[in-house]
Amino acid sequence: MSLDLKSTPYLDGSPLKQAIARREPLVLTDLAASWPALKKWTPDQLTALYGNRPVRVYDASFGTPGRNYMGSIDTMSFAEFLEETLHGGRDLRMFLYNLSQQIPQLLDDIVLPEVGLKFSRQFVFSFFGCKGSTTPLHYDIDMGDVLHAVVRGRRRIRLFAPEDSVWLHRHPFTVRSYLDLDGPTSALPPSLSRARCFEVILEPGQTLYMPAGWWHEFHYLEAGIGVSLRAASPHWRERIKGWGNLLVVSPIDRLANKVAPQRWYSWKRTHAEALAQAASQVKSA
């Protein structure tokens, strides 16, 4: 069962400030509606201006154990990528594409809100996906607060609170769950019913606020483009966890995957299942 996510106009920014203080996600229906990007970032214009730029692309195998674990699968021109995904329907994605480093001119088409978080033009990332592609369930490794705005194409987003990690079978040394929420119900663990799932269909011009540590799964209902503004969490505990993820946890995970990918994946899966089972027993006691 999915719960609807609260949505509101941006107004004077007070609803967003309250959500930041409560550490709760929120949909802002009009925060990005007036961004120039919504009118200017058409496939034709992006191709004409930046089509020759090389870009790294990813597919659904991003988290699969083995040689390409957490890595891109190819490099192609931006024009080729847009053609393959937006028109050809090929399952390719671009994510965490840093606009300040790659195409800083596009930053002029985005407006950073002033709501107490320190959003920086140095950390504005774009995301591209084809229709039907899914970014699997995870939370952001740096534990930052995020505003994700849709520029083109609707997407369905599912969210879970940080405290539900054990019910989602989070793999240790990762920020990832391998549960297929759209797969057969019989294949999902009973413990998943203990987690609260929030769901929203995000339209162009709408923006989702996600506090640090919130799980999210993105499914592209249409080929689309999104932009994420990132800021450090206002809480030092979450910042420290993010640094630990980047400097210690992720390197261990990548190294172990190189040494013994299948055994490492099996251990993580078994450990995640054992934790969920133990937590279920405690909850039922």
Side-chain angles (χ1 to χ4, degrees):
M1 178 180 177
S2 297
L3 305 171
D4 291 334
L5 199 60
K6 182 180 178 181
S7 63
T8 179
Y10 178 67
L11 301 174
D12 59 353
S14 58
L16 177 55
K17 292 178 182 178
Q18 293 169 10
I20 294 170
R22 293 193 302 263
R23 313 307 288 152
E24 296 176 353
L26 178 70
V27 173
L28 300 157
T29 57
D30 59 353
L31 174 62
S34 61
W35 284 6
L38 269 74
K39 293 182 178 179
K40 296 171 63 176
W41 290 14
T42 66
D44 288 344
Q45 183 162 342
L46 291 174
T47 297
L49 294 175
Y50 313 109
N52 291 329
R53 292 175 177 266
V55 296
R56 290 187 298 173
V57 300
Y58 305 79
D59 67 4
S61 68
F62 178 73
T64 302
R67 184 176 180 181
N68 289 326
Y69 180 67
M70 307 293 282
S72 60
I73 62 163
D74 198 2
T75 298
M76 59 179 61
S77 71
F78 194 22
E80 183 181 1
F81 169 79
L82 291 172
E83 177 64 29
E84 292 275 3
T85 55
L86 302 184
H87 301 297
R90 185 179 173 189
D91 187 3
L92 292 176
R93 308 93 184 265
M94 281 173 56
F95 54 82
L96 287 176
Y97 188 72
N98 192 320
L99 294 184
S100 68
Q101 296 179 7
Q102 304 296 334
I103 313 179
Q105 300 93 320
L106 293 180
L107 293 174
D108 295 335
D109 301 329
I110 295 167
V111 180
L112 275 60
E114 296 184 4
V115 290
L117 294 176
K118 294 183 179 180
F119 294 108
S120 169
R121 288 170 61 89
Q122 299 299 314
F123 299 103
V124 177
F125 297 93
S126 58
F127 296 77
F128 298 76
C130 69
K131 179 179 179 180
S133 64
T134 299
T135 301
L137 195 58
H138 69 285
Y139 63 90
D140 290 349
I141 193 168
D142 64 347
M143 297 293 290
D145 277 21
V146 175
L147 284 174
H148 180 83
V150 176
V151 175
R152 303 185 66 84
R154 298 180 307 137
R155 63 212 58 187
R156 181 198 69 202
I157 304 174
R158 290 172 173 152
L159 297 160
F160 295 87
E163 55 265 29
D164 286 333
S165 291
V166 67
W167 312 126
L168 302 176
H169 288 211
R170 181 187 71 83
H171 278 211
F173 293 94
T174 78
V175 294
R176 173 82 185 270
S177 167
Y178 283 82
L179 297 183
D180 181 1
L181 301 180
D182 288 319
T185 303
S186 59
L188 294 173
S191 62
L192 181 61
S193 63
R194 298 183 183 274
R196 291 189 306 158
C197 176
F198 296 88
E199 185 171 314
V200 64
I201 305 296
L202 217 58
E203 307 276 349
Q206 295 184 339
T207 303
L208 171 65
Y209 165 65
M210 292 187 295
W214 273 75
W215 291 83
H216 45 281
E217 176 207 71
F218 279 61
H219 177 73
Y220 287 79
L221 299 172
E222 301 167 342
I225 304 171
V227 170
S228 283
L229 312 180
R230 307 187 68 83
S233 166
H235 297 285
W236 277 102
R237 177 177 55 83
E238 293 172 341
R239 296 189 190 188
I240 292 171
K241 183 177 180 180
W243 295 336
N245 287 340
L246 292 168
L247 298 176
V248 180
V249 176
S250 181
I252 290 175
D253 182 44
R254 290 173 182 266
L255 177 60
N257 179 78
K258 289 182 179 180
V259 174
Q262 293 303 325
R263 280 197 298 163
W264 179 238
Y265 173 80
S266 296
W267 176 84
K268 290 188 292 184
R269 181 182 62 189
T270 301
H271 191 70
E273 293 171 352
L275 287 176
Q277 184 176 6
S280 296
Q281 291 173 351
V282 171
K283 194 83 171 179
S284 301

